[in-house]
Amino acid sequence: MWNKKSVSKSEVESLQKKFALDALTASIFVRRGITKGKDILYFMEDDLRFQHNPFLFSSMENAVDRILDALPENGGESHPGEKILIFGDKDVDGITATTVLYEELLSLGADVQFKVPQGDDAYGLSLEAVDEFAQQDGTLIITVDCGIANNREIAHAASLGIDVIVLDHHNPQEELPSPALLLDPKIPGSGYPFEELSGCAVAYKTVSALRFSKSRWYKAEAVLLNARAEESQIAIECIKTRNLVPVSRLIEYVVPGEKTVMETKIPRYLEGQAIFCWDKDAVSQLLAQAFGSGTQFNMIDMRQEAAKLYPSLKSMPLSKIKFLSKIAKYGDHEPTEIGGFYNIFVTYVQQSLKKEFPSDEEKEKKDLQLVALAALADVMPMKNENRLFVRKALQSLSSGDVRPGLKELMSLLNLLGKRITSGDICWTIVPNLNAAGRLGQAKIAVDLFTLKDAAEREQAAKKITELNSERKRLTQEAVSFASEQARQSVADFSGNLCFVLDERINRGVSGILAGQLVTKLGVPAMAMTCAGNIVIGSMRSCRGYDVTSFLEQLKDLFISHGGHAFAAGFSFEKEKLGIFRERVRELSKTIKLESKTEDIQVDAEIPASFMTPELQTVIDRFEPYGNENQKLTFLSRSLPVIAGTTVGKTERQHLKITVDCGKNKWPCLFWNTGEMLHRDFEVGDKVNILFSVERNSFNGTESLQLLLCGLEKCGT
């Protein structure tokens, strides 16, 4: 069923006016429930200025200090540095997170090594890895994309005098690991405003904080002070910052001559702080008016500094600047002078750092290509700052400015020189990189990104593509082993769960198998195999069910378990299989799944006269597509079919038609529906179509076509 949600004209017009949107974009936002400025911002803006400050993580400063303490000083003479181990996961998220942190620590001169699970190694930090590192006199382990569930291993590391920093994004269990510094946006009190980061993004945030620590602004406390006349009183506003993060605010309303400055909270608030103002003369005059001419504040005029970077600001007051702030534009309240001051202060510092440390910007670009791979591989929601990360990466990948390692792999996959989309990453790059980890050779994927020699990177890329071919073969085998067992199991588990165990399934493809069973059967799926006396399984979910909460109810049986709401892994001793099966059968009765729906949600109805190539501008604005941001789906009615045929390499099973939209004639492709021609409609009929718009590249030429997901003859 085609479902076009009705929207309020006034709500659409309100968004148009507030955010300077065209009517089509505004209506799509309303229809998708994206109506808050803080959400719209990440669709309309591309500047990395809008990413969140890494020091919003409550433990970030401590983590940075611990890493800095481990680095060599004075050329290594007085303090040669500690041995650091980065321990990652074997999937794309873990591989990229390991790379991002490893490269940065190497550039800082650290004595650093990395380790990712190889062969039949289990997920997460192991006791063996800790003991091996201790024998090397190592003193700092940093886990990436894992660690939040490694309570026993982290406690063991502490007993050996090894500190642990956990950079993870998985759902925490009830008991957090200790002692450790934890950076995970999902743990209580993390401080971070966006939970849905990938593990690689958490590593990237840590690297960003390390780069910031080179500047004079690291740990610097500064107060932004503004004074403004407000009727018969003077409003004095302050924001105190540390690492550019607001830590407190103060506002005092003073009637001139009524009290001295010492009778306010201002002196204590400003004590020991660097004080910045905008237009020192004007602020000083207002302060003198409030407290008398004898009152002096030692202030730095930020306007003079900012004007060196932005000459247009030289004579502009905050009363005007507050309306120029894009962050204020997307705020849900009226812009304020002190808010505008804070925004321009942060922008000034960031631009100054780009000039002071020019190589960091280039490093960041390369890092974000890996962050984008991780976000799409781990099916992170394409909202908030994830959109910034992926958009920036797609821009640089499409321009041909591709980081080492990824360039060699993309060359083998025939992706260089093309416009890269999130679909190219999800369906081509990610499966190849994941294959290395699934088949127990994750290290070769990290090597691909970190090897200095181009010829060696080419060999690594070739090996990865070969592993992916093997992964495909093993997946086909697993499907043949499991399909019938899977279908029959659903009835045994209350119609809510698919349960498969077969020792012939390669453990590296159990997650893929579980995902395919979910797609086929429409219920959560468990796919398991055995490695000796251990059962190793993957669980995938659908229809809004959180599998981590399901597995948590079985934690007393597990050797290890963890993951995300829709994808998780676990292991247990084979002798517990009987009781495991029975408890899963009982728990399956409690699973509550959202109802299946076959409705297709229509984002907008497009009249024939508006079916122009300019439609792509709107579609590009909503890219990157992915989790929680599906491709835009449009409806157009009563379009004449002026050509039609069936196409296909082996069987002519796909429908290809051309529809007449007046000035524009649109080619359309509808997969696996070739039988509709002559059965449901003929060339010359008028049809209603449901479609997305995509670019089609052929022999270096790019054109637009409609990809249909629905078609009906008019009048039916």
Side-chain angles (χ1 to χ4, degrees):
M1 183 176 177
W2 304 357
N3 180 27
K4 189 182 77 167
K5 180 182 175 183
S6 60
V7 295
S8 161
K9 182 180 179 182
S10 61
E11 194 171 9
V12 171
E13 291 177 344
S14 175
L15 284 193
Q16 277 187 266
K17 181 178 179 181
K18 184 173 182 180
F19 302 113
L21 304 173
D22 60 89
L24 177 56
T25 298
S27 67
I28 294 170
F29 278 140
V30 173
R31 201 163 270 121
R32 290 196 167 196
I34 303 168
T35 56
K36 293 184 178 179
K38 64 180 182 179
D39 297 323
I40 291 174
L41 181 155
Y42 292 101
F43 283 85
M44 301 306 298
E45 303 295 338
D46 296 340
D47 197 324
L48 289 172
R49 159 74 179 88
F50 299 109
Q51 65 178 309
H52 303 303
N53 189 317
F55 290 97
L56 289 169
F57 274 109
S58 56
S59 297
M60 183 61 81
E61 189 176 300
N62 290 335
V64 168
D65 282 346
R66 181 62 187 91
I67 293 171
L68 294 177
D69 286 344
L71 299 179
E73 296 176 356
N74 302 322
E77 296 175 5
S78 62
H79 176 35
E82 303 174 43
K83 290 185 182 296
I84 304 173
L85 170 65
I86 300 170
F87 193 96
D89 190 19
K90 60 186 179 181
D91 64 0
V92 170
D93 195 10
I95 289 163
T96 53
T98 300
T99 301
V100 166
L101 185 59
Y102 178 69
E103 288 189 328
E104 181 63 20
L105 293 188
L106 273 184
S107 73
L108 294 174
D111 182 357
V112 59
Q113 58 185 285
F114 68 83
K115 187 176 181 64
V116 289
Q118 289 285 100
D120 290 334
D121 290 349
Y123 164 82
L125 184 64
S126 65
L127 294 174
E128 292 77 14
V130 173
D131 287 336
E132 180 183 315
F133 188 55
Q135 290 170 8
Q136 301 173 36
D137 297 322
T139 52
L140 176 60
I141 295 175
I142 307 175
T143 68
V144 292
D145 193 34
C146 64
I148 202 63
N150 288 123
N151 299 41
R152 183 173 63 149
E153 293 78 9
I154 288 172
H156 180 60
S159 73
L160 298 174
I162 300 173
D163 293 334
V164 179
I165 300 173
V166 173
L167 309 182
D168 204 354
H169 73 129
H170 290 92
N171 294 341
Q173 299 174 25
E174 187 175 339
E175 182 181 351
L176 296 175
S178 179
L181 286 169
L182 308 179
L183 277 77
D184 183 332
K186 291 189 176 73
I187 65 173
S190 78
Y192 204 73
F194 180 52
E195 286 191 359
E196 301 298 337
L197 292 178
S198 67
C200 184
V202 177
Y204 160 74
K205 289 291 176 180
T206 306
V207 164
S208 297
L210 281 167
R211 290 171 184 157
F212 184 83
S213 73
K214 297 180 296 186
S215 75
R216 67 186 178 93
W217 299 99
Y218 180 54
K219 292 188 179 181
E221 293 189 346
V223 172
L224 308 183
L225 183 149
N226 182 50
R228 55 187 171 81
E230 192 172 287
E231 297 180 351
S232 60
Q233 55 190 357
I234 307 296
I236 302 168
E237 303 168 299
C238 302
I239 295 179
K240 186 177 292 185
T241 70
R242 183 181 176 92
N243 297 319
L244 305 186
V245 174
V247 294
S248 66
R249 297 171 185 263
L250 175 70
I251 183 165
E252 288 266 2
Y253 293 97
V254 179
V255 175
E258 191 174 84
K259 61 174 75 171
T260 67
V261 68
M262 299 306 296
E263 294 176 290
T264 71
K265 299 177 183 178
I266 296 173
R268 176 169 291 187
Y269 192 81
L270 299 180
E271 186 177 0
Q273 305 292 314
I275 307 169
F276 294 86
C277 67
W278 191 268
D279 189 354
K280 184 176 179 179
D281 291 342
V283 172
S284 296
Q285 289 176 12
L286 286 168
L287 292 174
Q289 184 179 336
F291 301 117
S293 58
T295 303
Q296 298 292 324
F297 290 81
N298 185 20
M299 298 179 292
I300 301 167
D301 194 337
M302 192 71 200
R303 185 166 74 168
Q304 299 304 315
E305 293 298 314
K308 295 175 184 177
L309 288 178
Y310 306 101
S312 62
L313 300 179
K314 187 173 183 179
S315 59
M316 191 177 294
L318 286 180
S319 58
K320 288 188 177 180
I321 284 178
K322 68 178 183 179
F323 293 109
L324 299 180
S325 167
K326 286 187 176 180
I327 289 180
K329 170 185 173 182
Y330 294 103
D332 295 318
H333 51 75
E334 286 296 313
T336 63
E337 289 187 11
I338 194 68
F341 187 13
Y342 170 73
N343 292 334
I344 199 69
F345 171 71
V346 172
T347 301
Y348 164 77
V349 172
Q350 290 178 337
Q351 293 302 316
S352 298
L353 294 181
K354 286 182 180 181
K355 288 194 170 186
E356 187 176 356
F357 305 105
S359 64
D360 285 352
E361 188 173 8
E362 189 61 29
K363 289 180 183 178
E364 182 178 57
K365 184 188 297 183
K366 304 304 184 190
D367 290 343
L368 286 176
Q369 292 178 7
L370 299 184
V371 173
L373 296 186
L376 293 167
D378 254 30
V379 200
M380 295 294 101
M382 284 299 101
K383 62 183 182 181
N384 207 280
E385 62 183 348
N386 283 340
R387 296 189 55 78
L388 292 180
F389 300 153
V390 179
R391 282 184 71 88
K392 282 295 182 184
L394 292 177
Q395 290 168 8
S396 58
L397 292 175
S398 297
S399 72
D401 187 11
V402 185
R403 63 159 292 132
L406 189 54
K407 184 174 184 178
E408 285 77 8
L409 181 60
M410 288 176 63
S411 177
L412 284 178
L413 299 175
N414 297 316
L415 290 175
L416 289 182
K418 297 181 179 179
R419 183 194 298 268
I420 304 300
T421 67
S422 53
D424 293 321
I425 291 176
C426 290
W427 300 112
T428 307
I429 299 174
V430 163
N432 278 274
L433 288 172
N434 260 336
R438 293 185 188 282
L439 299 188
Q441 299 188 50
K443 183 178 181 297
I444 195 171
V446 183
D447 289 341
L448 172 70
F449 294 131
T450 57
L451 287 168
K452 300 301 181 184
D453 184 75
E456 291 181 351
R457 293 197 302 269
E458 288 176 4
Q459 287 302 310
K462 183 179 179 182
K463 178 62 176 177
I464 285 171
T465 59
E466 291 170 353
L467 288 170
N468 190 46
S469 296
E470 176 67 4
R471 189 270 308 168
K472 290 179 182 178
R473 185 187 68 79
L474 292 171
T475 300
Q476 290 173 348
E477 284 186 356
V479 170
S480 68
F481 297 150
S483 291
E484 184 58 25
Q485 180 190 163
R487 186 185 62 78
Q488 293 180 4
S489 73
V490 176
D492 291 338
F493 291 85
S494 305
N496 290 328
L497 181 70
C498 165
F499 187 100
V500 169
L501 172 64
D502 193 311
E503 296 190 13
R504 296 173 295 176
I505 296 171
N506 183 285
R507 60 180 293 182
V509 299
S510 63
I512 298 175
L513 174 61
Q516 291 193 8
L517 294 175
V518 166
T519 300
K520 184 177 181 180
L521 301 172
V523 295
M526 285 180 151
M528 292 157 284
T529 188
C530 296
N533 294 320
I534 305 298
V535 175
I536 299 169
S538 297
M539 190 171 185
R540 298 292 183 266
S541 190
C542 61
R543 297 165 61 186
Y545 188 68
D546 183 349
V547 297
T548 55
S549 63
F550 183 86
L551 294 179
E552 188 70 10
Q553 298 174 79
L554 300 160
K555 64 181 180 181
D556 58 301
L557 299 177
F558 291 137
I559 297 171
S560 64
H561 72 289
H564 310 297
F566 284 85
F570 57 90
S571 63
F572 59 91
E573 293 159 341
K574 192 174 181 180
E575 63 186 32
K576 297 179 180 177
L577 178 57
I579 188 170
F580 177 79
R581 186 190 299 270
E582 287 307 311
R583 285 181 57 180
V584 169
R585 181 178 283 114
E586 286 302 308
L587 284 172
S588 69
K589 298 175 183 177
T590 68
I591 292 176
K592 303 295 184 185
L593 301 175
E594 295 175 357
S595 62
K596 292 182 180 180
T597 176
E598 297 183 0
D599 288 0
I600 300 176
Q601 301 301 318
V602 179
D603 287 298
E605 184 170 339
I606 312 293
S609 58
F610 286 84
M611 292 282 290
T612 67
E614 285 69 34
L615 197 58
Q616 189 64 42
T617 303
V618 175
I619 291 158
D620 286 345
R621 177 47 54 193
F622 282 82
E623 175 79 57
Y625 295 102
N627 183 21
E628 297 192 27
N629 185 48
Q630 300 304 309
K631 279 190 174 182
L632 296 179
T633 301
F634 298 114
L635 168 64
S636 198
R637 300 182 188 273
S638 196
L639 302 180
V641 178
I642 58 176
T645 187
T646 55
V647 296
K649 288 184 178 180
T650 54
E651 299 177 12
R652 303 180 71 78
Q653 71 271 39
H654 309 306
L655 176 65
K656 186 173 184 180
I657 64 173
T658 303
V659 294
D660 187 352
C661 298
K663 291 182 179 180
N664 296 282
K665 311 297 186 285
W666 283 89
C668 309
L669 188 62
F670 200 172
W671 298 111
N672 301 311
T673 59
E675 73 281 356
M676 292 185 72
L677 184 62
H678 306 309
R679 186 193 71 185
D680 300 318
F681 72 97
E682 299 287 348
V683 174
D685 288 341
K686 290 186 176 181
V687 294
N688 303 327
I689 58 172
L690 208 59
F691 63 92
S692 58
V693 182
E694 66 171 22
R695 288 183 171 89
N696 182 37
S697 295
F698 184 73
N699 289 337
T701 302
E702 189 176 86
S703 60
L704 297 178
Q705 69 176 5
L706 306 185
L707 193 60
L708 304 186
C709 54
L711 180 151
E712 63 181 17
K713 182 179 175 181
C714 288
T716 61

